Amino acid sequence: GWTAQGDTFRADADLLTRALERIVQRALWHARSGGRIDITLKSGTVVVSVGGPPLVGTEVPARSLATHFAEAALRAQGGAMWTEKDADGALVYKVQLPA
């Protein structure tokens, strides 16, 4: 299990860690030099946000091997992962932790 802010999530700690590492690595790849990446936990969802418009295009960027791995690892444990753009154009990776 993994505990954060009083909530307990049942997951393989190593696999969950590797999935989150890949999401953060991908966020860093999209960040501008000197940019900001915020990581928050809200209601069982980890949100990794790349501040400001990302370096690549205006659409949600193509999936990478890292994001495919993260999505598969999370889905195998009962969680989910998806990518969005917020109203300011910031790239946002969201991870629903396994219940």
Side-chain angles (χ1 to χ4, degrees), residues 27-82:
L28 288 169
W29 187 81
H30 284 287
R32 293 184 178 275
S33 178
R36 178 179 173 147
I37 295 177
D38 294 307
I39 303 171
T40 57
L41 174 64
K42 297 178 189 175
S43 304
T45 302
V46 176
V47 179
V48 179
S49 179
V50 180
L55 284 175
V56 293
T58 58
E59 299 298 318
V60 173
R63 304 290 294 219
S64 69
L65 186 56
T67 53
H68 283 295
F69 168 83
E71 183 177 24
L74 290 158
R75 198 175 279 174
Q77 298 182 81
M81 180 252 160
W82 64 98

